Amino acid sequence: AGEGSAPGSGDGAGPPAPERVLFPPTFSVSEIKNKQRRHFMFLRWKQQQRKEKLALKKKRRKEREALGDKAPPKAVPKTIENQRVYDETTVDPNDEEVAFDEATDEFAPYFNRQTVPKILITTSDRPRGRTVRFCEQLATVIPNSHVFYRRGLALKRIIPQCIARDFTDLIVINEDRKIPNGLVLSHLPDGPTAHFRMSSVRLRKEIKRKGKEPTEHVPEVILNNFTTRLGHSIGRMFAALFPHDPQFIGRQVATFHNQRDYIFFRFHRYIFKSEKKVGIQELGPRFTLKLRSLQKGTFDSKFGEYEWIHKRREMDTSRRKFHL
Amino acid sequence: LCPLQVVWSMLGNRQFCSYKMTTKTQNFCRNEYNLTGLCNRSSCPLANSQYATVREEKGRCYLYMKTIERAAFPRRLWERVLLSKNYEKALEEIDENLIYWPRFIRHKCKQRFTKITQYLIRIRKLTLKRQRKLVPLRRKIERRENRREEKALIAAQLDNAIEKELLERLKQDTYGDIYNFPIHAFDKALEQQDAESESESDAEREEDEDDDEDVDKREFVEAEDSELSDFEDMDKLETSSEEEQEEEEEVEEKASHSKSKGKTPLKGPARRKRPYIEIEYEEETEPSTKTKAA
């Protein structure tokens, strides 16, 4: 440490560092007591590290060029999606058991085209302006949906009435501090109920470069990245909101994209410029959802049978583990 | 001098009373045994040797009384009587217990009792309705989730994903006949065929071109949803020259654009340019085809 600090102390605070600084191996920057000198030495050390790194990169690149075709393929960088912990409930496309389950679960009537979706959108008590506008826009995006305001009515009493009037789905948007922050999606004739936390809600006027209003055409639906069993059931829930036959004339598409357990909803209008290029323009509201719980029956917070609840202490322990 | 008078002159008026709360217009008394809640000579439990209050505990009302005989025993100072749950009966009980007491205290006790029963009824009614469960937000967790959401958004590359999916669907022919994009090879073959056909007989060529034109026209029509206007446009091209025809077409396409209820986005005209270019070299023989077709 003495040898190293001698040139350091000789340099003091000002003069520029020599090109090749060789720190003796026992030298450690943190051992200098004087803050100014320590800072200076640290900067020099940092510069040296950077130079070495750059030199290494150049060398590698030269080697690669020298080898030409025989060069080993570039290393694939690790991403969270690459490193994802394998979930044993991931659905294999050929799995028969899953196919059988899906043929007999609550959405079978929808997928067999026996029911036409009819959606009821409502809010929690006393919705504020933003929530109201969001509900209206959501109603334009989802065909065959109706907005009703809840004036103090209990959900448990609304549900039998809805079933009597042939509604297939119920959406309740929960509001807190004047912004919508939760979504409860319930498939009606005793279907599963999913409770989401909703964030980043953007109304139509807040979206930049948006197009004109969404029209009455039935949009297409894209469901991306729903891999596990749980993801599959949630995906089917979303699919059951939209009528079966999209009208391609309208060229509208609603996307539910799952990434790392966050479901992003977007609504676009697309146009095919050529067979290799498509342009999309965002209309309609956008929001992101994160699943909090999935319940077997319709909405019942006390006595319901929960299929899945997000338990923070158990499920959030690993950064590479996702459930949807 | 009466000790209580002294007490009051000290506490109430001049010196410090820890139960006293002053506001701009009024003085309040925070003493739990106070009958009215105001700081008055007649309402102060400390400055009155004979005092009574009504207080409720866990939904039941009690009458508390203080007499001068017990002034020396702070532990036994306040005597407590449970009042019946029946409103009228309880009022009678108050009257019974405070029989020879000053009117003011009796009256105020009954008033206080009435108020208490009213709010107890309200509590019971509200508990039957839906309770709003307040779940506290955890700041650290909220921040963590927001950050992760941002990162997930960046990782998702939504636009690319959507575009890829749409192109996949186009390839797999889910759209059927709406979009008529010839695949590259077919495109080249088509061009070759056109190049060759200029040396071949006119009829075949015209039919091909006619078909191509009709196909192109159909493209426009379905996207526009305004069949007749397009055909009319095409028909008007007969009489005018090439350039004028093109200009008219463009203008009228754009006009019909604005007529249609906003179904086509701004990218429409940009897309139109390509078919226009195709039509350009075909129109050289168009007048002849038109006359034959008509």
Side-chain angles (χ1 to χ4, degrees), chain B residues 215-227:
Chain B
V215 158
D216 281 345
K217 273 188 221 163
R218 245 178 257 131
E219 266 186 47
F220 292 162
V221 165
E222 292 216 12
E224 278 279 24
D225 213 18
S226 50
E227 285 180 287

Side-chain angles (χ1 to χ4, degrees), chain A residues 18 20 43 98 128 131 145 214 219 230 238 242 254 260 307 317:
Chain A
R20 276 293 166 96
L43 289 178
V98 172
R128 311 297 288 181
T131 314
S145 60
L230 181 64
F238 286 133
F242 293 91
R260 303 182 192 175
E307 211 177 293
T317 47

Side-chain angles (χ1 to χ4, degrees), chain B residues 223-269:
Chain B
E224 278 279 24
D225 213 18
S226 50
E227 285 180 287
L228 292 176
S229 60
D230 274 341
F231 275 121
E232 286 164 7
D233 293 344
M234 290 296 154
D235 284 337
K236 284 176 195 164
L237 297 172
E238 278 182 15
T239 50
S240 45
S241 64
E242 256 185 63
E243 289 180 357
E244 285 179 17
Q245 288 175 8
E246 285 169 31
E247 279 176 18
E248 272 188 26
E249 263 190 75
E250 281 184 44
V251 164
E252 283 169 48
E253 290 293 356
K254 280 185 187 160
S256 54
H257 235 340
S258 50
K259 274 188 238 157
S260 68
K261 296 167 203 161
K263 284 178 202 159
T264 52
L266 305 164
K267 303 196 176 161

Side-chain angles (χ1 to χ4, degrees), chain B residues 134-150:
Chain B
L134 295 177
V135 175
L137 285 180
R138 308 249 170 96
R139 203 174 309 178
K140 192 170 168 190
I141 294 180
E142 290 295 309
R143 263 197 279 158
R144 198 212 297 167
E145 293 201 337
N146 288 336
R147 191 95 180 97
R148 288 207 182 152
E149 187 190 319
E150 285 169 18

Side-chain angles (χ1 to χ4, degrees), chain A residues 159-207:
Chain A
I159 287 179
Q161 286 186 22
C162 285
I163 300 179
R165 291 187 205 189
D166 259 351
F167 279 96
T168 55
D169 288 274
L170 174 69
I171 297 181
V172 182
I173 296 182
N174 190 46
E175 189 200 347
D176 178 50
R177 286 217 211 137
K178 305 183 195 173
I179 46 167
N181 75 343
L183 187 94
V184 175
L185 173 58
S186 181
H187 190 70
L188 271 184
D190 65 35
T193 308
H195 176 39
F196 298 93
R197 168 194 127 104
M198 186 155 65
S199 46
S200 325
V201 175
R202 302 278 175 264
L203 301 177
R204 285 204 73 236
K205 64 178 183 183
E206 293 159 10
I207 298 179

Side-chain angles (χ1 to χ4, degrees), chain B residues 54 60-63 81-85 90 93-94 97 113:
Chain B
V54 176
R60 298 305 307 272
C61 296
Y62 297 93
L63 175 66
V81 172
L82 178 64
L83 298 173
S84 108
K85 272 195 183 173
E93 280 177 14
I94 293 177
N97 275 306
F113 174 70

